Amino acid sequence: MTSHPIVQIKPLGFPWETIDPFLFCAYHDDAYPPGDGHMGPAASLAGRDIGQDFSRKDGWSMYHGARVPGFPAHPHRGFETVTVVRRGLIDHSDSLGATARFGGGDVQWVTAGKGIVHCEMFPLLKSDAPNPLELFQIWLNLPASRKMAAPYFTMLWSHHIPRHATTDAAGRGTEVAVVAGCMLGEAAGRPLTPPPDSWAAQADADVAIWTLRMEPGAQWTLPAAADASTRRTLYFFKGNAVSIAGQPVRGHAAIELRGDAAVALVNGDEVGEFLLLQGKPIGEPVVQYGPFVMNTQAEIAQAMADYRRTPFGGWPWADTAPVHGPDPARFARHPDGREERPAPQEA
């Protein structure tokens, strides 16, 4: 008898729990107010623990920001960050000399490798309207052989990300955005190449990062992974209910699925949104100390010593929380000086 496709179901917390090869996923959904003309909120910050504000007071947080919300300069070693910005903008700066402003479906993928310092600020550009922000930041582990790789910065602009739209027999739609991995052959388009040292760049790692949006009542079948050993989790984070392989799920949840099973999804009576994370496990020890993720405690001690000694190349910017001005245009300036400026998006 074939076992059920659902391995386990857990409620969503913050951050979201993940399984190897992922380390965690932080989902931010902040209802920021109008800006103050200086890219901070035009609202009192009284009662917030500035520098450590995860309160969600009034529907938003300052995080580690003092004037502009976000995450001022901080180091990473030994893993990758994949940042998917669904609404709002992020201003990025790093110790490689790269800067970027991105959002509206854009994805930034950074291999920290042997060490990088970066900053992610959330500029509130609109003074006459709210500034909602919604994003995932996904931490993808690196195998021991790649933990000391050279840092790498890349952008996957929204218009380059393959999107696969289908309708069921009743005409109800499902759209899948394929940030990493492949889906349903070449017809869905080829995702952009992940960084060269990423676990996702290994042909047999079966890494996938997909977002799904299902109309009310839509039916769609999640195809089986390429390999039975692939671990996969489907995060149900918007909507009121969904049936997964015939099992009703009410309330937002992380659903771990068997890799070798195609899974029928039937959405409830509201728009449903999901994030899929999957990959073959790296299968190595994980030792983490804050922003350092290595294989042994000795390597963590070395990372701390290296950061104290070198600051991972130093910080080339005038302050620890730079933002990139009032112009909403998205851009990326790479460490070698190369610039990218994608076409403007519709408002």
Side-chain angles (χ1 to χ4, degrees), residues 32-43 45 60 62 66-69 122-127 131 323:
Y32 287 117
D36 62 1
H38 302 284
M39 287 169 275
L45 300 182
W60 52 276
M62 288 294 290
R67 184 176 59 84
V68 177
F122 309 153
L124 308 184
L125 299 191
K126 296 177 183 176
S127 298
N131 290 275
V323 287

Side-chain angles (χ1 to χ4, degrees), residues 127-210:
S127 298
D128 57 351
N131 290 275
L133 177 80
E134 185 186 6
L135 66 93
F136 307 110
Q137 186 170 92
I138 301 156
W139 286 21
L140 174 60
N141 202 8
L142 287 167
S145 63
R146 295 290 186 267
K147 283 194 176 292
M148 296 298 284
Y152 189 91
F153 162 90
T154 195
M155 292 297 310
L156 310 181
W157 300 109
S158 178
H159 65 282
H160 287 153
I161 293 172
R163 288 175 170 82
H164 184 79
T166 60
T167 53
D168 61 21
R172 298 174 176 128
T174 296
E175 182 180 87
V176 183
V178 182
V179 174
C182 58
M183 179 193 160
L184 303 178
E186 299 301 317
R190 293 180 62 84
L192 298 187
T193 304
D197 292 295
S198 177
W199 185 242
Q202 308 302 309
D204 60 351
D206 202 20
V207 170
I209 300 172
W210 302 350

Side-chain angles (χ1 to χ4, degrees), residues 12-56:
L12 291 181
F14 183 86
W16 296 350
E17 290 185 37
T18 56
I19 48 181
D20 188 3
F22 297 94
L23 297 164
F24 82 78
C25 176
Y27 174 56
H28 299 277
D29 190 6
D30 288 280
Y32 287 117
D36 62 1
H38 302 284
M39 287 169 275
S44 171
L45 300 182
R48 295 179 183 270
D49 183 9
I50 296 303
Q52 190 68 34
D53 172 36
F54 289 75
S55 66
R56 292 198 54 76

Side-chain angles (χ1 to χ4, degrees), residues 320-345:
T320 61
V323 287
H324 303 325
D327 183 351
R330 295 136 59 230
F331 73 92
R333 187 171 298 111
H334 291 258
D336 62 3
R338 178 172 58 92
E339 289 198 13
E340 296 177 83
R341 292 193 174 267
Q345 296 173 319

